[in-house]
Amino acid sequence: MLLVGIFGFGVKKSGDIYTAQDLQILDLYAHQVGIAVENTKLYADLKLFNEKLQLEVEKATQDLRITNSQIALRNKDLGALQKITNLITKTLDLSQITQTIADSIHTELGYIGGIIYFYDKEKKALRPSAITKTPLTQMAIKVLPKSPFEYEINDADDNLNADAFKSGSMKMSNKFSDFVHPPLPKTLIDEMQKLLGMKTVIAVPIFVENEAIGLINFGLNKNQGEVTDQELQMMRSLADQMGIVVRNVRLYDAVKSYSGKLEEANEYLKELDQTKSEFISIASHQLRSPMTGIKGYLSMLIDGDFGALDDKKKGIMKQMLDNSERLIRLINIFLNVSRIEAGRLHLDKRETQISDVIKSVIMEMSNQAKAKKLDLYFDEPKEKIPPFTADFDKLRDVILNFVDNAI
């Protein structure tokens, strides 16, 4: 896998550490971005390829030294290559694309036929993926004792196909056996070559990101000396197009795979989020009931319902009451959060005077401020602030949290 960049993430806004689920999402996201970068490169390659074709057409038509017959032939080849490109861009099925290219070697380029190989890294062998289908090639295949797709060319085999793949360079010979023996026996190969009328065989490597992934064998009914540079260039262009298609399919499969994983991760996170909300709601309800009881008993103790308390004990009880009220407020916040997430938050909107809200907060928090030797007061404006519609209790909670945090 090629490294194209690095994401750096700072501290989360919540202050929490990154969870395993966070890291999984970031990893999937990074893969998605990497795939997007590769897709951009692919688009540039395809654009460059089309520009190259256009330049070649312009060069062929503007060069006065090229004869009219050569120009016509060149345009014919470019048209054939463009037609092949149009055919293979209609699908992302690699087996279908490979067979289309193999058949186009005969139908569009006018050669006897061809074989497309892909390299199997595990077996370290070139394996046939598609063979041109014509009545003549089908007849020649019947000479073999088993399917041609069962014959593999290993790295260690001494033939031109293995040499072309390992060296990354084009190879040419007038003997088909020089390319496929071993594994095929020479006698059968010579019989097939005679039946096909094949005079020249050319091996052209297929590359993806400067890495050879396979090769194409072209079978021609002309001698080596009659093969033009223009034809060799056409073969290289077709092999390059095959490489671009393979990379395109790989990227598509990768996007599809990671999209599936991302969808699964999102569903899992939704379940976790729902479980978290349910837990907060249940826990908050369970905590609020006993805390309300504790607050009530503390108020009764301070008021002397169970007997008089000295100032020291009464002060301790007031601190406990303040802390219990603070804890109840925190529980209410948790409940509000769970209600918001569930879409069940109810707002009791009525005419509200902000000064009344602030005064009630000052009254409740004054003892807590005094305990820390702080002055807490409300500098009420001279001009009365007009009333507005709001939820008095929710607005009070907001202001109370500000004052509580400040203290």
Side-chain angles (χ1 to χ4, degrees):
M1 185 176 294
L2 180 65
L3 179 66
V4 297
I6 297 175
F7 275 114
F9 294 89
V11 179
K12 294 174 67 175
K13 285 186 176 181
S14 63
D16 298 334
I17 62 171
Y18 282 91
T19 64
Q21 287 77 22
D22 291 335
L23 296 178
Q24 184 181 10
I25 290 296
L26 293 177
D27 183 58
L28 290 174
Y29 178 70
H31 280 298
Q32 288 286 66
V33 174
I35 291 167
V37 172
E38 287 300 310
N39 276 332
T40 302
K41 292 182 179 178
L42 174 61
Y43 173 80
D45 289 344
L46 289 172
K47 184 177 180 182
L48 183 62
F49 180 76
N50 288 331
E51 290 175 354
K52 180 180 178 182
L53 288 179
Q54 184 65 33
L55 289 173
E56 291 295 338
V57 172
E58 291 177 358
K59 179 181 177 182
T61 56
Q62 293 176 2
D63 194 344
L64 297 177
R65 293 175 297 177
I66 301 176
T67 64
N68 290 334
S69 60
Q70 288 176 318
I71 293 174
L73 181 61
R74 183 63 173 172
N75 288 336
K76 179 183 177 182
D77 287 343
L78 291 173
L81 189 57
Q82 185 63 50
K83 188 175 181 179
I84 295 172
T85 301
N86 293 336
L87 288 173
I88 63 180
T89 53
K90 294 180 179 179
T91 178
L92 286 171
D93 185 337
L94 185 58
S95 61
Q96 184 177 342
I97 293 172
T98 306
Q99 187 61 52
T100 299
I101 291 179
D103 292 339
S104 298
I105 292 174
H106 172 74
T107 59
E108 303 302 330
L109 300 184
Y111 302 144
I112 293 173
I115 305 173
I116 299 176
Y117 299 84
F118 287 120
Y119 186 66
D120 188 328
K121 291 184 178 181
E122 292 184 1
K123 293 187 176 182
K124 295 183 177 181
L126 288 165
R127 304 182 64 184
S129 178
I131 300 174
T132 303
K133 289 182 180 179
T134 66
L136 190 59
T137 57
Q138 295 298 307
M139 187 184 302
I141 287 173
K142 291 181 180 179
V143 174
L144 300 174
K146 58 183 181 180
S147 170
F149 296 101
E150 296 182 36
Y151 295 96
E152 299 177 349
I153 298 175
N154 298 313
D155 283 350
D157 290 341
D158 183 16
N159 59 45
L160 291 181
N161 270 342
D163 189 19
F165 177 77
K166 288 184 287 187
S167 66
S169 59
M170 185 182 294
K171 302 296 178 182
M172 185 187 307
S173 174
N174 60 355
K175 292 184 179 181
F176 189 27
S177 59
D178 289 345
F179 294 86
V180 292
H181 171 77
L184 276 73
K186 283 187 177 182
T187 54
L188 292 180
I189 302 170
D190 292 342
E191 185 179 347
M192 290 176 65
Q193 183 171 354
K194 184 177 180 181
L195 181 62
L196 291 168
M198 193 160 53
K199 298 179 181 180
T200 301
V201 180
I202 302 173
V204 183
I206 302 170
F207 288 92
V208 171
E209 297 291 346
N210 297 322
E211 177 187 7
I213 62 165
L215 59 83
I216 303 178
N217 280 157
F218 294 86
L220 287 69
N221 59 354
K222 59 174 65 176
N223 296 321
Q224 292 185 56
E226 298 173 328
V227 180
T228 65
D229 290 340
Q230 181 177 313
E231 289 177 308
L232 295 177
Q233 184 177 353
M234 181 63 64
M235 295 176 194
R236 289 192 188 96
S237 297
L238 186 59
D240 290 342
Q241 187 72 351
M242 182 78 253
I244 292 172
V245 169
V246 170
R247 186 173 68 174
N248 190 16
V249 172
R250 286 179 178 177
L251 290 172
Y252 173 77
D253 291 340
V255 169
K256 191 175 180 180
S257 173
Y258 285 120
S259 294
K261 291 179 180 179
L262 184 59
E263 186 175 347
E264 291 177 4
N266 284 336
E267 289 299 323
Y268 179 64
L269 287 175
K270 287 179 182 178
E271 292 176 5
L272 286 179
D273 189 59
Q274 184 177 356
T275 302
K276 178 264 296 179
S277 298
E278 291 174 354
F279 170 77
I280 290 176
S281 180
I282 293 171
S284 298
H285 276 291
Q286 295 296 325
L287 286 171
R288 190 166 62 170
S289 296
M291 285 307 304
T292 302
I294 292 171
K295 178 183 176 183
Y297 280 115
L298 287 172
S299 296
M300 293 169 67
L301 285 168
I302 294 171
D303 293 338
D305 292 348
F306 299 102
L309 298 175
D310 57 44
D311 292 340
K312 183 177 180 180
K313 291 178 181 178
K314 188 177 290 187
I316 293 173
M317 290 299 173
K318 286 182 178 180
Q319 289 181 7
M320 292 175 64
L321 180 61
D322 290 341
N323 288 332
S324 65
E325 289 176 343
R326 188 175 184 182
L327 186 54
I328 290 173
R329 290 198 300 272
L330 183 61
I331 292 170
N332 287 333
I333 290 172
F334 284 140
L335 275 174
N336 285 335
V337 169
S338 63
R339 287 168 182 161
I340 290 171
E341 291 179 343
R344 295 185 287 105
L345 182 66
H346 173 70
L347 295 178
D348 182 16
K349 295 181 180 180
R350 60 182 186 271
E351 188 175 278
T352 303
Q353 174 55 251
I354 189 66
S355 296
D356 296 338
V357 179
I358 297 174
K359 288 176 182 178
S360 69
V361 172
I362 297 297
M363 185 180 297
E364 180 176 339
M365 301 301 293
S366 58
N367 289 333
Q368 188 175 334
K370 288 178 182 179
K372 290 198 174 185
K373 298 180 181 180
L374 298 172
D375 292 329
L376 177 60
Y377 61 92
F378 173 37
D379 189 4
E380 190 171 359
K382 294 179 180 179
E383 293 186 10
K384 190 174 182 180
I385 299 174
F388 53 87
T389 302
D391 186 317
F392 185 95
D393 293 331
K394 299 293 188 299
L395 186 58
R396 184 179 184 278
D397 286 340
V398 173
I399 298 173
L400 192 144
N401 284 332
F402 280 128
V403 176
D404 187 36
N405 288 339
I407 294 175

